[in-house]
Each structure stands twice: as C-alpha cells, then as structure tokens.
C-alpha cells in the first residue's frame, strides 16, 4: 500500500525537473547538520594546536581523528538496530546530545586520557545522528532526496566556514582554541531540543519503507523501493561505499593538516594557518550549494567525477603555492570539489542498497569511519617522516583511487541493466 506523503517533492509541471519543498522538519535537520559542521570544521584545524599544547607527535595527535573514526564505525555497526527500535527522532536527538558531552570532554583541559575518549564520544554520537539524518531527508523528500542531502551538507559547510574563523580569532586574541570548539556543545543541546519538539512525522518516528519508486540506475538519485526478496549488496554498492570513504579521507586529511602545511612550508602564524582552513570550508559550502541545484538536473555519478577532478586541481595549486594567499586559493578550489563527494556518494550508496537506505547509510558510516581513522593518521605519520609537503602527496592517491572505484560502480550499474 502506498504511504501518503504530505510534503513530498514533486516534478515541476511540464519541465521534468524536481522541486525541493522545505518545511520545519527539513530546516531542523539542516540545523543539526550545521551543528556537526561547526564541530568537524572547528575541531579538525584545532588538532595541530592541541598537539602543541600536549607536546605530542603528529601521528599521536591524529589519534583524535582515529577516535572520531571509531565512533563512526560504532555508529554504523549499531545504528541500524537503534533506528529500528527507537526511530530516527530518538537516534538523531540522542546523538546530538552525546556529541555535546564529547565536546565538553575535549575542551576540559585534560590530557590524552580525557581528550581521546571525548573525541570517541563526539564521533559516536555525531555519526549516529548523521546516519539517521540522510535517510530521513531522503524518505521525507522522495525523488528530491539527493538535492535535500546536498543542500543540508551545504548548510553544514556554511556554518563550518565560521568555525575556523572563530578559531583563528580566538587564538589571535589569546583565548586559545577551546572557546571556538566549545560552541559545538551548546549547538548540540539546541539540536537535541529542536528535534524532540518536531511534530510527528513518518520519516522520523519510524524507519518506514523506502519511497515507492522502482529500482533506479546508477545515474538516478534517492533510495529505491524494496524489490521482491532481499537482494545481496553487490559490486556497485561496495564500490560506492569506497568512493564515499575515500572522499571523506580527503576531506578530513585536508582539514586536519592543511594548517600545519602552511605553518611549516610557508611560515604562517598558528592563528593565521588555522583561519586559512576557512578557504577549504568556504569552497565546500559553495560547492554543496551548487550540488543541491545540479543534483536536480544532472547525474550524481557525473557530478562526483567532476568533484574529484576539481579537488585534484585545487590540491595541485595548494601543493605548489609559493605564498599563503595562493595556498588559500588552492584550498578554496579543492573544497569546491570535495564538497560534492560526500552528499552525492551517500545518495548513490542508498540508491544501490536494494531498498534499505538505513543499512546503506550505516555501511557508508563504517567506510567513512575507517577513512577518518586512517587517512589523517597516515598523512600525519608521513609528515612526521618526510615533512607535511611530501606527506600531502597522499591526497591525489586517494582521489585517483576514488575515481577508479566510481568508474567500477558505473560499469557494474550498466551490466546490471543488461
């Protein structure tokens, strides 16, 4: 039986283009993703400052990223069961509150024995809520789900633009990095209250079936309807999970260590280097705003490939930049490309999940968690061994690997239609 949808995205009459209709639920979930954006883009560039404060190596400091990653893996492992039992509302609101508790530990002034568990708690809570948010938006907006997810992540990046600026200003004012990062705790509590107060909605209060649509090919977006039986997750699905993971690896490696690269290679002051990461986040914000509109008109797979190429071009500008302003230009371009990778990958993973969007989102979380834990750690270890400049050669390796997996997924999708 077809489930009624009061605020479903519809096809524009005669135009054949999708229209994204936003309501209170949409804006509240956008607000939660803004909280996540402030935390991620505020804490990541603070890691080099935390490293200097704690007197550790880059690889040890990168363990904070590993804890975030472990949290994402735990969220992917247990998130589906939690969602089935309690519904997305409870998972999103509870995850937001858990993020706030983790942030309080991170800014408490303790050593590694306090900050590492804080990162784990923040990563687990944030990722658990994040995993339920994308399926909720996809379920709520139907065919325009990919656009809603892209727009939500654009909003998170827009909020995230402010976080490195606030971080740099706080450091320059002699207040340290904690006030800027600590804002995420207050935002987490606000998100908890806002989600709890939303009126009843099928997209939040029970997982529900996927939207009633036929199984879609790779070049279409949104979660497909469950086919008869339970299909196995094939090459297309796992290749797309790999694309998602590698894109996340590029994002976190850059936000963690771009400031360090500017300090060591170009002599930027710590506050200036932390604030310069705003260029990357600003590029992501603009890219995701464009992605939300482009996803209504173009194939997500093509947009993903364009994002990978743009990110590679930005990396090249950053890596060869002779001055800090030139490096910021590279960060902006790279951010614009990286912006497309996560939201479009999430949409395609859910589309390839055989009508199980929550399972697809959870698998993506595990892949992203592995990337968050390994990519910044690997780049940090390489930087310890050969310097940040040579260590950043890891980024194009990740981008090329993602492109290869995307082409594999496209080929698998075509074969499946034969």
């Amino acid at each position: 039986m077809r489930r009624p949808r009061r605020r479903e995205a519809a096809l524009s009459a005669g135009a054949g283009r999708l229209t994204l209709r936003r309501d209170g639920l949409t804006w509240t979930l956008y607000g939660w993703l803004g909280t996540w954006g402030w935390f991620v883009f505020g804490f990541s560039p603070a890691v080099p400052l935390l490293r200097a404060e704690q007197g550790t190596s880059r690889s040890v400091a990168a363990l904070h990223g590993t804890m975030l990653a472990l949290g994402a893996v735990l969220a992917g492992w247990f998130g589906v069961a939690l969602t089935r039992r309690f519904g997305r509302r409870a998972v999103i609101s509870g995850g937001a509150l858990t993020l706030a508790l983790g942030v309080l530990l991170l800014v408490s002034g303790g050593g590694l024995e306090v900050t590492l568990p804080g990162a784990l708690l923040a990563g687990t809570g944030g990722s658990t809520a994040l995993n339920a948010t994308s399926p909720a938006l996809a379920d709520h907006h139907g065919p325009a789900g990919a656009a809603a997810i892209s727009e939500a992540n654009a909003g998170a990046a827009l909020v995230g633009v402010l976080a490195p600026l606030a971080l740099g200003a706080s450091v320059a004012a002699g207040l340290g990095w904690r006030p800027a990062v600590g804002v995420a705790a207050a935002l987490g509590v606000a998100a908890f209250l806002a989600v709890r107060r939303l009126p009843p909605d099928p997209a939040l209060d029970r997982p529900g079936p996927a939207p009633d649509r036929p199984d879609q090919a790779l070049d279409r977006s949104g979660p497909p309807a469950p086919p008869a039986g339970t299909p196995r997750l094939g090459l297309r699905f796992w290749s797309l999970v790999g694309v998602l993971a590698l894109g996340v690896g590029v994002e976190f490696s850059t936000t963690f260590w771009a400031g360090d690269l500017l300090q060591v290679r170009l002599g930027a002051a710590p506050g200036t280097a932390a604030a310069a990461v705003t260029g990357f986040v600003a590029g992501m914000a603009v890219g995701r705003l464009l992605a939300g509109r482009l996803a209504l008109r173009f194939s997500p797979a093509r947009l993903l490939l364009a994002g990978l190429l743009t990110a590679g071009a930005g990396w090249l500008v950053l890596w060869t930049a002779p001055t800090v302003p030139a490096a910021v230009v590279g960060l902006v371009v790279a951010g614009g490309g990286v912006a497309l990778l996560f939201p479009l990958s999430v949409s395609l993973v859910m589309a390839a999940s055989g009508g199980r969007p929550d399972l697809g989102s959870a698998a993506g979380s595990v892949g992203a968690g592995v990337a968050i834990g390994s990519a910044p750690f690997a780049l940090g270890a390489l930087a310890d061994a050969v310097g940040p400049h040579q260590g950043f050669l890891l980024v194009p390796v990740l981008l090329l690997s993602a492109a290869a997996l995307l082409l594999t997924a496209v080929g698998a999708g075509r074969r499946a239609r034969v």
Side-chain angles (χ1 to χ4, degrees), residues 2 56 133 246 361:
R2 184 178 177 87
T56 63
T133 301
L246 291 167
S361 183

Side-chain angles (χ1 to χ4, degrees), residues 212-259:
D212 298 311
R213 302 169 61 208
D215 189 18
Q216 300 294 309
L218 179 62
D219 61 349
R220 297 297 301 275
S221 61
T230 305
R232 297 179 62 182
L233 302 175
L235 177 62
R236 180 178 64 159
F237 177 84
W238 293 113
S239 296
L240 291 169
V241 170
V243 174
L244 185 153
L246 291 167
V248 170
V250 171
E251 178 180 333
F252 274 77
S253 295
T254 304
T255 55
F256 264 59
W257 297 120

Side-chain angles (χ1 to χ4, degrees), residues 59-388:
S59 55
V60 170
L63 290 176
H64 291 91
T66 303
M67 291 297 103
L68 293 177
L70 179 57
V73 171
L74 291 174
W77 194 265
F78 297 107
V80 173
L82 290 173
T83 301
R84 287 174 179 168
R85 180 163 184 176
F86 300 108
R88 292 175 183 143
R89 182 191 302 270
V91 169
I92 295 171
S93 60
L97 189 60
T98 303
L99 169 73
L101 295 174
V103 172
L104 290 177
L105 287 179
L106 282 171
V107 301
S108 65
L112 287 171
E113 71 280 359
V114 175
T115 58
L116 289 179
L120 175 62
L121 198 60
T124 303
S127 295
T128 301
L130 190 68
N131 293 346
T133 301
S134 293
L137 287 171
D139 194 21
H140 191 64
H141 289 285
I149 293 170
S150 293
E151 191 172 80
N153 282 275
L158 282 171
V159 173
V161 167
L162 302 176
L165 288 175
L167 178 67
S170 181
V171 172
L175 301 176
W177 58 272
R178 288 182 176 81
V181 175
V183 169
L187 294 176
V189 173
F192 165 78
L193 294 173
V195 173
R196 298 300 299 177
R197 292 175 180 175
L198 282 172
D201 191 284
L204 279 182
D205 295 307
R206 56 185 174 85
D212 298 311
R213 302 169 61 208
D215 189 18
Q216 300 294 309
L218 179 62
D219 61 349
R220 297 297 301 275
S221 61
T230 305
R232 297 179 62 182
L233 302 175
L235 177 62
R236 180 178 64 159
F237 177 84
W238 293 113
S239 296
L240 291 169
V241 170
V243 174
L244 185 153
L246 291 167
V248 170
V250 171
E251 178 180 333
F252 274 77
S253 295
T254 304
T255 55
F256 264 59
W257 297 120
D260 187 54
L261 175 66
L262 268 60
Q263 287 186 65
V264 174
R265 183 166 184 265
L266 300 177
T272 300
V277 180
T278 300
F280 184 75
V281 184
M284 291 184 64
V286 173
R288 284 179 177 169
L289 282 173
L290 293 175
R293 296 180 179 274
L294 294 174
L296 298 173
R297 296 170 174 82
F298 298 103
S299 157
R302 291 182 179 180
L303 291 177
L304 267 177
L305 185 58
L308 291 168
L309 292 173
T310 304
W315 167 85
L316 184 60
V317 174
L318 170 66
W319 199 69
T320 58
T323 64
V324 171
V328 171
V329 171
L331 286 169
V332 172
V333 175
V338 170
L340 306 181
L341 306 186
F342 178 76
L344 294 175
S345 295
V346 168
S347 299
L348 288 173
V349 166
M350 290 192 297
S353 67
R356 293 163 287 179
D358 290 285
L359 177 61
S361 183
S365 176
V366 173
V370 172
I372 295 169
S374 58
F377 180 85
L379 201 157
L382 283 172
D384 281 335
V386 298

